[in-house]
Amino acid sequence: MNSKVLQSFAAQDVEGRIALVEGLQGLASSKAADVLFTALGDPHWRVRKAAVEILIQSGAAAELLPGLVERLSDPENAGLRNAVLEVLVALGDRALPSVREALASPDPDVRLFACNILGQIRHPSSVQDLLKVVSDPDENVRTVAVENLGRFSTLEAQHALEGLLDSPDVSLKFLALEALALQGGHVPFASLERLAAHPILRKPVFEVMASGRYPEGLSLLAQGISDQGKSSREAALKAFCATVLAHREQLYERACALVREGMAESALARIQGALSSSDQSVRGAAVRILACSGKPQALDAILALGNDEGVFSALRESLEMLPPEAVSILLDRFDGLSPVAQVVAALAFGKTRCVAALPVLHRCLRSDFGHLLRAAAEAVGELSDERSTEDLVSLLEHPYPDVREAAVGALTRIAKSSVSAVLSRIGPVLDSPLAAARAAAVSVAGRVGTESGAVSRAILALGDPETEVRLAAAQALADSKVPSAATPLCRAIADEDPAVRRAVARGLGAFSGPEAVEALAIALKDPDLWVRCEAAASLGDIGGERALSLLEGVLSDKQAHPALLTRILEVLGQVALEKARQESLGLLSHPEPDVVLAALTVLGKEGKPDAQSARRIGALLSHEHWNVRAHAAALLGRVGTSEARGLIEARLSDERDPLVARSLAEALAQAGGE
């Protein structure tokens, strides 16, 4: 195009420039190049986006690629460089020859961009290209080359990165370790131990070890927790905890000994400082190690975290690691603690099975502080303390739901060894005028119902006038799996409240036999969609010819709700994959995209789709919904046949959506590599 056209383009407003770019669709690449390249550097992002889409949709003919790569060297226009990068990445392996040539550019910025593009396209052959660039004279280019090697999950990339660990260049070793950590690669521990001797490399060594796959490195990580450098210390904290959690039975006692006997007070102070880290995983690791130490100053830090929701889960888990002497300190100091600290201490008494704390916990069960009531209830449940039964039963009538829930859980645990003591005391609550209290008592009776009287009371509650109670009864009886509960639950599938029917449909999956199947057959026709979905899942759990035929019958119903069809495909994909595949082929033409996506997921499960499926999947490359086209492209890439490649190539030249175009390009690269 001549300069007049470019002048006309520049004179347009934003909408005019966008319209002009969109008008280039289908025009010969050589004629459109000048305007498209100009539009890629336009000041307005919408114009740049329009040019990017046109270039991706057209497949950017080969004669345009050198011009695109050349524009990576523009030092003044970041928008242009980023737009070019987006186009080249979306073009995938088509762009590889030109991008590889750019690695030899005299401009280091161009070489840097080329490395990023190769890393985002992730074609296996690019590993060797990037490996050559790690010796680039420009430090930034070397850095980006190694970082992008970490994007590849292949063994070749891992071995290439491991090879860099023998480089005399410390910075290169550092980058290689970071890339290996990102990749999740496994490096021989002997190599990591050697590299950790260099202070600069300790942080990335610990990041590699955060995979938890180095139980032999626990002592090294314990030393790292005491490092002076904050980043190294925090990396060691996370890796230490990940390793202990991954090898709990093997390493638990040793980990406790390393922390309690080998860690100086100054190191503990620095760990305590990590509680203010912005990294949630660092804070969680610090909590666990402080608890493991059991030192007085560590206890004070832990007790202050009772209201910290960000680490409360880690705090609860870590309390069982407290040594006996630390628990004794908590017990001696209990009355002088703040209410929040008392909550933490009460939980600790339960987690460490501290029988000596029972008198204190009994007092806590009469507290006015709801959080302390809940913690005390959990603790006496952990201790299976029968003497707490009466107080726990009284909490079934507490106004706070979480306190009632904790009491139910504790009574259920106590009933495992003292069922008669529990059942004899909840009787009056089963007749309480408060629906919430009756529901809580029914939950206990149903869950511990090894005696006919308890089961009968839970069954009787299925007829309670309050939905809350009937729901609790249905859930408890389903959880109990007591055979005598099957028939009453089957009858409850006709309950007037959909929430109860959902619980029944969900619970019947634990009861085999024709009665449960027929009740679920009724539930498959329930007016409530989610009852039908729960019934489908339970039929899958039960299995058998009758259950599966019911599910197949719904799949053939043209009036069935898409969400139900999707659920059934998921269920069949888990319990009868071949049947699911057969049914999925018929649903590829369903008008709802979610159903088609579920069918595609089934067809791609546990291996490649077969040739017949591939042809049907190929037809979806022109589906009106972008996500269906993208999913279909990904599956065809796994098929890897010349026919599949041809279907992908044919669609790539017409695809207008940049996300789908990228999926097509990635699928083409995968198909070509097989």
Side-chain angles (χ1 to χ4, degrees), residues 209 218 246 351 490:
M209 296 176 70
L218 197 65
K351 291 290 185 183
C490 288

Side-chain angles (χ1 to χ4, degrees), residues 251-382:
L251 297 180
Y252 175 76
E253 291 185 6
R254 185 173 170 223
C256 290
L258 285 170
V259 172
R260 293 168 192 168
E261 300 167 12
M263 201 160 288
E265 298 292 324
S266 57
L268 286 173
R270 285 194 288 271
I271 296 170
Q272 187 173 330
L275 292 174
S276 60
S277 172
S278 58
D279 186 331
Q280 201 81 326
S281 58
V282 170
R283 297 177 65 212
V287 166
R288 290 183 172 94
I289 292 176
L290 288 171
C292 189
S293 77
K295 300 292 177 65
Q297 71 268 35
L299 286 178
D300 288 336
I302 289 171
L303 291 172
L305 297 173
N307 279 337
D308 191 331
E309 294 182 4
V311 296
F312 195 70
S313 177
L315 174 63
R316 289 170 64 94
E317 294 172 8
S318 69
L319 292 174
E320 64 185 61
M321 301 173 72
L322 288 171
E325 58 270 23
V327 179
S328 296
I329 292 172
L330 290 180
L331 190 55
D332 291 340
R333 294 175 52 194
F334 188 85
D335 289 335
L337 297 176
S338 70
V340 170
Q342 286 182 338
V343 170
V344 177
L347 289 171
F349 298 149
K351 291 290 185 183
T352 57
R353 307 292 194 275
C354 180
V355 177
L358 281 172
V360 169
L361 292 172
H362 291 158
R363 283 193 283 117
C364 293
L365 287 175
R366 296 178 177 83
S367 170
D368 293 328
F369 184 31
H371 291 300
L372 185 55
L373 280 175
R374 181 179 63 186
E378 289 184 18
V380 295
E382 295 264 14

Side-chain angles (χ1 to χ4, degrees), residues 13 26 84 98 102 177 209 317 331 341 353 361 401 445 455 472 489 516 553 565 591 634 639 655:
D13 60 11
V84 169
S98 296
L177 285 166
M209 296 176 70
E317 294 172 8
L331 190 55
R353 307 292 194 275
L361 292 172
V455 176
L489 277 175
L565 294 176
V639 172
E655 181 56 57

Side-chain angles (χ1 to χ4, degrees), residues 173-256:
K173 291 179 180 178
F174 186 99
L175 293 169
L177 285 166
E178 286 197 322
L180 283 162
L182 175 67
Q183 187 190 61
H186 187 274
V187 181
F189 176 66
S191 297
L192 293 176
E193 192 171 31
R194 171 176 54 82
L195 293 166
H198 197 298
I200 293 177
L201 298 179
R202 288 174 71 79
K203 172 182 175 289
V205 164
F206 298 149
E207 288 174 343
V208 172
M209 296 176 70
S211 64
R213 291 184 288 177
Y214 298 90
E216 68 273 39
L218 197 65
S219 294
L220 175 62
L221 293 171
Q223 295 168 14
I225 292 172
S226 302
D227 278 7
Q228 294 291 327
K230 178 181 176 183
S231 60
S232 175
R233 185 169 65 248
E234 291 188 348
L237 272 171
K238 292 194 286 187
F240 185 92
C241 285
T243 303
V244 174
L245 292 174
H247 306 274
R248 187 176 183 84
E249 292 186 8
Q250 174 187 351
L251 297 180
Y252 175 76
E253 291 185 6
R254 185 173 170 223
C256 290

